[in-house]
Each structure stands twice: as C-alpha cells, then as structure tokens.
Amino acid sequence: MQKNIDINGRTVIYDFERKKVKNINLRIRSNGSITVSAGLNTDERMVEDFLKSKGHFICSALDRCALKRPGGDFEPRQFEDGDIFYYLGRPHTIVLLQHTRSCVVADSGQLFLYTRTPDSLTARRRAVDKWMEQQCADIIGDACERLFTPFRKLGAAFPKTAYRNMKARWGSCAPERGTVTFNKHLIEHPLECIEYVVVHEFAHLVYPDHSKQFYLLLSQIMPDWKERKQLLNEG
C-alpha cells in the first residue's frame, strides 16, 4: 500500500506493509524508494510519529539518492557554489571564495571552498581532495586509535593506514602486510558508520575471512554493527 506523509515541509511517498514484526522498520533503497513495515496491530499514527522522528535522516538519505545515477554511481563532482556536500552525515552548502591559498573550512552547515581561481574545476577538486585526505587522517585516524584496544589484547599489531578513493569498498585489510586502507568518502557519513568500518577492517587482522568466528568477534566488540552497517548502506 502506497502512502505519503509531510516531513519538514516535504512530501515523502513510501510503501507500507504489515507483517508479523514487533518494531516499525524503515528501509531506504539507493534509488530513493522507501518501504515501511509495522506489526499487524500497530496504530498508523504511531507509524507516522516514527517517520517524523526520523525526518532529518530520511530527508538527508533522499538528498543523497538524488545525487546518484540509477546504477548507483555518483555524478562527477563539480563543487559549484550552492552544491551540497555531506560531511559526517550532515549536508553542507558549498560557498566558493577567492583566496591566495586553497583550503576548505566546514562551519555551521556550510563548506567554504577557497581557491585562487574559483572558476577552475581542477582547482576546486584539488582543494577538496586535499581537505578530504586531511579529514580522513584526523577523523578516521582518531577512530582507529580509540577502537584498537580490544584487538591489541588479541595479539594484533596496530596496522599502517592509508586513504584513497575506492569505487566498490569502504575499506580493505591486508593482514599479511599489516595495512588497512579506507575509502576517503567515509568522511561524508556519520561517525558511527566510520567506526563500524574501522572495527570491521580491524577484525580482519584476527580473522582474514568472513567466517563465523569473524562475525562473532565483530558482534562482541561492536554489538550494534548491523544497525551501523545498514545506516552506511542507506546513506
């Protein structure tokens, strides 16, 4: 059954299903379609209240879907004045400014992009890429330091970390070389998603494959990893 609801002044259309479930479940696919399921006797007003409580998350996810092609690939970034860039899961409006030194500053929902030549796409992309690299080193690097303790207790050595653009993965681990590589685009997602990827890749230092033991370890260290993974995939 297709329904619609007004969320933050925006009409959101969703498919509603009743199932034998205890909780209200929300799923946003990469094409922007939304499915909501609820128990057989759940009051529809409770469903609407639930959706409104998730308003910011839903609108943000839909905005991201709008930036993607049907196949799931991002359109080439232009970084033009007024474009939206997601930083730690929150939308930031790009503001282009001319300056003698190229740099990027995120503040109060805006991403200030300074370059000598704001009209140059190459200059804009170079400035943002350098900024993303530094954000990865700071944010993901800090998460690595904070979350490594249980792996150290299991005998793992702290790995070398690297950051690069990756099309198909959020991260990769090479236990034999003691290296972990993270996708630069992780900084566009909420911190809880970044932490999930860090723990997932660190777990491969102990169990290189996706065995039962791997998932048991992942669940012991991060009990809510499935919810974090879902949030990352929906984003």
Side-chain angles (χ1 to χ4, degrees), residues 95-128:
V95 179
L96 294 181
L97 296 166
Q98 189 170 29
H99 197 273
T100 55
R101 186 173 67 90
S102 295
C103 67
V104 178
V105 177
D107 183 45
S108 302
Q110 292 181 301
L111 197 75
F112 297 98
L113 175 49
Y114 298 89
T115 68
R116 285 178 177 270
T117 53
D119 292 336
S120 169
L121 176 58
T122 300
R124 298 197 300 268
R125 285 178 173 169
R126 186 182 295 120
V128 173

Side-chain angles (χ1 to χ4, degrees), residues 24 41-53:
I24 300 172
N41 299 314
T42 302
D43 192 303
E44 289 191 18
R45 285 175 296 182
M46 290 181 62
V47 176
E48 291 185 354
D49 289 343
F50 170 79
L51 292 175
K52 289 180 179 179
S53 72

Side-chain angles (χ1 to χ4, degrees), residues 128-146:
V128 173
D129 188 67
K130 183 179 179 181
W131 175 76
M132 289 177 68
E133 181 89 25
Q134 185 59 55
Q135 293 304 303
C136 286
D138 292 343
I139 296 170
I140 302 178
D142 176 72
C144 288
E145 294 286 349
R146 288 189 291 102

Side-chain angles (χ1 to χ4, degrees), residues 165-181:
N165 294 319
M166 304 167 74
K167 292 184 177 180
R169 297 181 178 182
W170 291 116
S172 64
C173 177
E176 69 282 359
R177 296 197 300 270
T179 61
V180 175
T181 303

